[in-house]
Structure formats: C-alpha cells, structure tokens
Amino acid sequence: MHQTDKIQIHDLSFVPLLSEDEIRERVAAIGQELTNHLAGKNPLFISILSGAFVFASDLIRTFDSHCEIGFVKLKSYQGTRSSGDVQTVMGLDKSLKDRHLVVVEDIVDTGRTLHFFLEHLRAQEPASITTVTFLRKPEAAQFPVQVDFVGYDINDRFVVGYGLDYDGLGRNLAGVWTV
Ligand code: IMP
Ligand code: MG
C-alpha cells in the first residue's frame, strides 16, 4: 500500500511507528534465535489467525531448518456465566503430542488470548512450547503468560499494520502505525 506520513482509517488518524525495514531486521533476528533454539527438531509453528498471518509468513522464512506450520482461529463466546468467555479452537487437525510447538501471535495485549490457548495446548502434551509475539503491550498485561520472544514492547496505544487491523482495515500496511 502507498506510504505517506499519515493514514486515515475510518475515524482514526495513524502515524508511523515501525518501518518495513526495521521490522524485517527484527524478524530475521528472532528467526535466527529460533533456529538456534529449535534446529533439527522439526517444530510446528502455530499461527493465530487472523492478525499473526503476516508475521508468521515472514518468520518461518527466516527459520533455517525444517519446520511445519498450521493455523488456528480462536472463537470466543460472550459470557453465559460469570466466569466470562469460553473459547474454542478451530483448525488444529494435527496431533500435538510430543511435538515442539512455536505459537506465533501478532500482539499480546491483556494476555487473555495466549493464556487460554496455552492451556489448551499443554493439555495435549507437546514436547515443548515456545511463544513468540510480534508486539507486546506490557502495561496492559492482565493475564500471566509466558512469552519467550518479543519483537517489540510498545505503549498501550492502538496500532495497525503488518497484519493488525482496525475494524478490518490496515492489515496490508508494510509497517506498523499508531494513533
Ligand atoms: P489479548 O487477548 O488481550 O492479549 O488481545 C490480543 C488480541 O487483541 C490481538 O490478537 C489483536 O487481535 C487484538 N489487539 C490488541 N491490541 C491491538 C491493537 O493495538 N491493534 C489491533 N489489534 C489489537
Ligand atoms: Mg490476534
């Protein structure tokens, strides 16, 4: 998409936060660390849809050893009970038992999504779970989650681009933009 110094999406105006070039370098560095960590283990990358698809697609191409990738969609139901949402996982058709898993997220905000998903994965007795998120909003963290690799810690401000959307738009921006 054509880049300017300001982008309007719906009612919000966004300015650049992370450039395409710096993201490429950071993703390559994480890919290198993952390679050191998991080379020869044929890890199964699991990308959480929709937001993480761009990051996952770049990340696996910086992983310098055999690997597989799968995609999951998490569906939440608004609370029928006081305990809050129940989520279901769609799209995980492979057996995870004794596999080395790499969970790929776009952004950890409250940590709720990752917290729930990790519980679901642990129940299936994988050999290991490594978690990677492109962005993290540390001040917002409400659920304790293990995140092994973080692309960038950012402020608690809304962002779009590199897979992340604002009401459906902005996923195709090559960099990350903030309000
Ligand atoms: P969590 O479950 O609260 O950690 O939220 C994670 C999900 O919220 C992400 O996967 C995104 O879909 C969404 N999200 C949180 N912050 C942002 C943002 O700044 N921009 C776009 N989506 C966001
Ligand atoms: Mg997401």
Side-chain angles (χ1 to χ4, degrees):
M1 203 162 143
H2 180 69
Q3 304 281 302
T4 53
D5 54 0
K6 214 174 185 192
I7 287 179
Q8 186 73 25
I9 300 179
H10 301 301
D11 56 322
L12 294 181
S13 172
F14 292 84
V15 295
L17 181 67
L18 303 168
S19 73
E20 181 176 7
D21 287 347
E22 68 182 299
I23 292 171
R24 188 184 305 110
E25 273 183 35
R26 185 73 192 110
V27 172
I30 296 173
Q32 185 58 58
E33 290 190 71
L34 284 173
T35 303
N36 297 339
H37 192 58
L38 291 165
K41 293 183 170 170
N42 185 26
L44 173 61
F45 284 71
I46 301 175
S47 168
I48 302 178
L49 295 173
S50 301
F53 82 106
V54 174
F55 177 44
S57 140
D58 282 346
L59 187 64
I60 59 162
R61 284 177 289 171
T62 67
F63 185 77
D64 194 17
S65 184
H66 285 309
C67 65
E68 297 174 32
I69 185 159
F71 299 87
V72 296
K73 183 104 187 158
L74 305 181
K75 191 175 160 86
S76 353
Y77 296 95
Q78 289 301 323
T80 51
R81 289 172 169 273
S82 56
S83 58
D85 296 357
V86 178
Q87 295 194 0
T88 50
V89 178
M90 295 176 289
L92 264 190
D93 41 12
K94 294 172 190 242
S95 168
L96 306 184
K97 188 162 166 51
D98 301 327
R99 293 296 307 265
H100 292 276
L101 308 181
V102 182
V103 177
V104 183
E105 250 293 36
D106 52 356
I107 185 165
V108 175
D109 183 2
T110 64
R112 182 181 164 282
T113 308
L114 197 55
H115 175 82
F116 158 78
F117 189 51
L118 290 177
E119 270 186 5
H120 175 87
L121 293 179
R122 282 190 203 105
Q124 300 184 56
E125 302 179 354
S128 70
I129 304 178
T130 303
T131 51
V132 186
T133 187
F134 175 57
L135 301 175
R136 179 170 63 180
K137 291 178 172 175
E139 288 158 315
Q142 289 166 34
F143 289 79
V145 284
Q146 154 220 344
V147 185
D148 300 304
F149 297 97
V150 178
Y152 299 92
D153 279 308
I154 61 168
N155 292 332
D156 192 14
R157 283 239 187 101
F158 196 78
V159 294
V160 292
Y162 200 65
L164 290 143
D165 73 305
Y166 173 42
D167 203 9
L169 298 181
R171 295 195 197 277
N172 59 322
L173 296 166
V176 171
W177 299 66
T178 186
V179 288

